[in-house]
Amino acid sequence: MNRNAAQFIDKIGGENTHFPIKSLFEVYIDDIDGLIGSIENVISQYEPEAKNNGCWTGIRSRFIEIIRDGRMFLDDIEGVSTPTEQIMAEKSFSGMGINNTGGFIPGPIIKQTQFSELGISVRESENDVVLNFFTAWQRAVAIEGLINFSLRANITINEYSKNGEVRNQHKFYKASPINISGGKMVMDNTGDIVTRDVAFIFSQYVPKTNL
């Protein structure tokens, strides 16, 4: 179990305390070495001003404390929204381009299954993960498009049970960021934590339960 997960359990009163399981989770980006290399390669070619100013370069050195075993552990996560899964169905043959003739009774026909995006809410912190990592990643995707497979990565989300064991796992294959919410700066002393939302598309979503 990750150190942060263990600290969370201790903070709320130990393993025997009943608490909402959904409140304890971890987010990993797998195969981070190749992804960071691809991001920096694209930025260096097509974003000369960013490179000259030191922006979006040296990503690994900035996040070395949360990168281990080829994975990036995102500890600034506020929340995660798993995709909505929807089956699109037509209740008539005409909707599928088939005329309702010959005595056939219209019935539901499955057209396709749709998934919404994976959403990750990231807290603004001294790490500035959104600007230093996700923005660079999305900018690289915008430049080269999804035909550059090296700009896709697998994202793993682990949900923990009250005894600290992985209860559910959500695996998103070949994911890429496509939308990052804007930030807002306000001069006040409320101390509110600012969050930014990052939306991802992916090729495949595989949930696993009772691990």
Side-chain angles (χ1 to χ4, degrees):
M1 181 175 61
N2 185 273
R3 175 175 55 85
N4 295 66
Q7 291 176 346
F8 181 86
I9 291 177
D10 292 338
K11 183 177 180 180
I12 62 173
E15 295 184 359
N16 295 324
T17 302
H18 294 282
F19 62 92
I21 294 175
K22 297 293 184 181
S23 64
L24 181 54
F25 60 90
E26 292 178 322
V27 180
Y28 292 94
I29 298 178
D30 302 336
D31 306 321
I32 196 65
D33 294 299
L35 175 61
I36 289 178
S38 296
I39 293 172
E40 293 185 332
N41 181 57
V42 173
I43 294 299
S44 64
Q45 292 185 62
Y46 300 101
E47 295 278 358
E49 290 299 324
K51 178 183 178 181
N52 295 336
N53 292 321
C55 183
W56 301 332
T57 59
I59 296 175
R60 165 169 279 282
S61 62
R62 299 183 188 189
F63 301 117
I64 191 66
E65 294 183 355
I66 56 178
I67 294 177
R68 53 185 177 272
D69 300 327
R71 312 173 83 192
M72 185 173 184
F73 169 64
L74 301 178
D75 57 354
D76 292 331
I77 300 301
E78 174 75 17
V80 172
S81 298
T82 55
T84 299
E85 183 174 355
Q86 181 179 8
I87 295 177
M88 304 298 292
E90 286 284 352
K91 294 186 177 180
S92 66
F93 291 118
S94 59
M96 300 296 294
I98 305 174
N99 293 325
N100 182 18
T101 59
F104 290 105
I105 300 176
I109 300 176
I110 302 301
K111 296 177 63 177
Q112 59 182 331
T113 301
Q114 293 182 340
F115 290 93
S116 61
E117 294 87 8
L118 164 66
I120 298 179
S121 298
V122 186
R123 290 187 293 264
E124 290 277 11
S125 69
E126 295 296 328
N127 289 332
D128 210 348
V129 175
V130 173
L131 180 61
N132 289 321
F133 178 69
F134 287 119
T135 299
W137 186 4
Q138 181 169 286
R139 187 68 60 88
V141 171
I143 293 171
E144 295 230 324
L146 296 176
I147 59 174
N148 185 344
F149 289 174
S150 65
L151 293 176
R152 304 182 186 187
N154 299 335
I155 297 178
T156 303
I157 301 171
N158 290 330
E159 293 183 59
Y160 286 91
S161 63
K162 62 183 180 181
N163 61 5
E165 297 178 351
V166 178
R167 177 175 177 269
N168 295 328
Q169 184 180 84
H170 307 266
K171 193 82 171 182
F172 299 88
Y173 293 91
K174 300 179 180 178
S176 297
I178 59 168
N179 185 63
I180 300 175
S181 64
K184 184 178 181 180
M185 303 178 191
V186 180
M187 286 190 175
D188 60 24
N189 58 356
T190 59
D192 292 338
I193 297 177
V194 178
T195 60
R196 304 276 298 278
D197 297 322
V198 185
F200 295 83
I201 57 174
F202 47 88
S203 295
Q204 188 178 12
Y205 167 39
V206 179
K208 298 179 181 180
T209 61
N210 299 321
L211 299 177

